[in-house]
Amino acid sequence: MKFKAILLLSFLTIGSVFSQTIQSPSEFLGYEIGSRFTRHHKVVDYFKYVSNTLSNVQLEKYGETNENRPLYVSYISSQENINNLEDIRKDNLSQTGTETGNPGKKAIVWLSYNVHGNEASSTEASMLTLYDLVTTKKAWLENTIVIIDPCINPDGRDRYVNWYNQVKSTPFDVIQDAKEHNEPWPGGRPNHYLFDLNRDWAWATQVESQQRIKIYNKWMPHIHVDFHEQYINNPYYFAPAAEPFHEIITTWQRDFQTEIGKNHAKYFDKEGWLYFTKESFDLLYPSYGDTYPTFMGAIGMTYEQAGHGMAGLGINTNEGEVLTLKDRAIHHKTTGLSTVEIASQNAEKLNTEFKKFFNNDNVAYKSFVLKNENQDKTNRLKKLLDTHEINYEYATNGSVKGYNFSNQNDEKFTTSEGDLVIHTNQAKGKMVNVLFEPSAKLADSLTYDITAWSLPYAHGFKAVASKSKVNSSTKSSTKNAINSVDKNAYAYIAKWNSLEDATFLGDLLKNNIVPRFSEKPFSTNGKSFDRGTLIILRNDNRNKDFDENLIKIADKNKRQLTTTSTGFSDTGVDFGSYAVKPINKQKVALLSGKGTSSLSFGEIWHFFETELQYPLTILDSDYFSNVNFSKYDVIILPNGYYSRVLNKNTLDKLSTFVSSGGTLIAIGSALNSFADKKGFALTTKKADEEEKKSPNLTPYAAQERESVKNLITGAIFKSKVDNTHPLGFGYSDEYFSLKLGGTSYNYLNDGVNVAYFDKNSKNISGYAGSEAIKNIPESLLFGEEQKGRGSIIYMVDNPLFRSFWENGKLFLANAVFLLNSDQLK
């Protein structure tokens, strides 16, 4: 008996030693979690340490950020599951129809942290969660794979953490007025290009999103949690979500959110922590970290802890309590572990219902057909579909009946070879329906984000939605551009109707090749060319390598060139006409800084650097009034509020800049700085005032809902376009615009109304309040006010919104390159 006791003691001692071989985050880092913010590289170090120490934890690098910080996911499970990880992955995907394998048996839970860089407690919580899973919660891992992404947005996180460490007091100051609780512009929330990554899941415009979605599609988890922070006075928020739910969401997905929420409540109730559910955070807009997974079959959820960039290490709330980083991290750890617990308890049911989700028999629309009238647009959409592993095919010649996106009628639609067809009888069929449906059903007008996003409108396609499956083929008729040197060419000609054409133009200018564009249509050698067509004359480019350099640039940009041996056109203008204008190498400046919307600035910055690939100079609002504007050809003012920046003296300087031949582009709320001011043509469109304003007798409880009458929450409106004006070159005579607010402006009396809403204008898709919508008919969308030799371009709606509204981008390129570009500065 004594020997057995000694043997048992030895086993217990060995077990105890083994359990101590893994250090806690605090032991590894050398400080208690919550006592300071952990920089991203130290977080990665801890995850590497755990995976190198324990064989049941694997770490995978899936990408890098713009600032070269690594992106990782960690797989945590039992040793047996980790040994069979690839088989488990394939078995799970077999339930979607994208892989072959056996029915899945393991629950797969994906926990994503710190998508907003200054909501920094969740990354601290990710380390605590990892440690508890591999020490005290190992039993849950027997039938569960946990995937942890400790920081989706390392660039934003380190921007916030580095700033906070520079300015914080020691010990930290809990007074809300303290500098450490008031971030400077642009804050740590967005990524490098100042995009909100939590609104980029579906559009995948950012490298973080593109790389994450690739690995997400490899796994397709059953549960996905996005950890956030809200403002300091709010209790913790967890599922179930608020209405409206998109109608594609299943009853099971709704109900299981509630079960998860009840499990969280059990732990929060025990500690006396405050929380709320079913408010504020809905499941409609498809590009969130909760909705995108939901529309891919998961239980997608947002968890919101009080804190945000204001909280720092500790802050006094309005209720007089001190909210600490330690508290915030523990709360997030609690809900994360609770999620894994209930997933483990329901692994079989999660798999059963996950498989059911991918039966798309009841999806209303069976096929979407998009006309291939512009191959560049088609290629852009195909690239997005490829990112999400959504299948597409090509139409055959014929006709189909369905909902016509252009005129909102059910009618016949002629199809041609090369038209894109996206069916819903595929694994991602429900997501296809969400992304392409003409209008999402709104169960509630109180929503957290935009309410319209339909891709045919966003990408500028003529399209039809059919409730019958459309005949299609997998064969593509796309042909690659083939160019060759022609030493006898009087000119090379290139089309102008896509962003890719603008990128090509920018490349020509960067390489000192002088192009021209035609303001009028013409034909030569039996071919017709529209307004905006690029003409590269040999006479403008007298150097021996001209042809070779031009062909090289055209091939690089996949542009098809047409040559002609004469400047004498068959019809229309000859190449020596005043209407064939040279395009100079435009020097572009972009305003940033306090007063500027960081999101709008980031969209333009990202647009120039990654899409146009054309240089621009970034100015700051702190010294904008002192800048010598004459050094630039184009100045862009993003969405923002510039009452302090654009004072009378600065507006006078900008007027002089424009009169001297410059182009000033104002976007969104930047128009407020010019509207109704002496010297500018822009005027605000105001609703007719009632003779006698009625008192507000709306009950207090109904006032929030009543207020939405004055809002437009991302709705689509159809506008008219004057495509004979350079700003409208490359467009048809109509454009669908995403309107984000209720402010409207009158038609320009002293200027050109290039795009506008006529008297019959109405919203095509999305929510528009009954009061706000009254000001849309007979209002301006895009206009030019000419002053001296230059012009001001007013863009009421943002043509680059979140970089997903693809069809608006050429308007901005036109404004930069085709207006006043022939002016000598």
Side-chain angles (χ1 to χ4, degrees), residues 634-647:
V634 180
I635 296 175
I636 305 175
L637 305 178
N639 187 38
Y641 297 92
Y642 301 115
S643 58
R644 295 183 179 179
V645 180
L646 299 183
N647 53 36

Side-chain angles (χ1 to χ4, degrees), residues 322-358:
V322 176
L323 175 67
T324 68
L325 176 59
K326 182 179 179 180
D327 294 333
R328 293 149 59 196
I330 289 173
H331 295 164
H332 269 330
K333 183 191 79 166
T334 302
T335 54
L337 292 174
S338 172
T339 303
V340 176
E341 177 187 34
I342 196 165
S344 179
Q345 293 170 356
N346 294 272
E348 183 177 348
K349 184 67 171 175
L350 281 167
N351 278 278
T352 301
E353 295 297 333
F354 180 72
K355 184 175 182 179
K356 287 180 182 178
F357 182 88
F358 296 94

Side-chain angles (χ1 to χ4, degrees), residues 493 518-531 533 535 564 566-577 579-580:
I493 304 170
S518 179
E519 285 195 322
K520 296 181 180 180
F522 66 92
S523 65
T524 184
N525 297 331
K527 294 183 179 180
S528 297
F529 297 91
D530 292 330
R531 292 178 172 87
T533 296
I535 302 171
T564 180
T566 178
F568 189 93
S569 296
D570 298 341
T571 62
V573 295
D574 298 323
F575 291 177
S577 167
V580 179

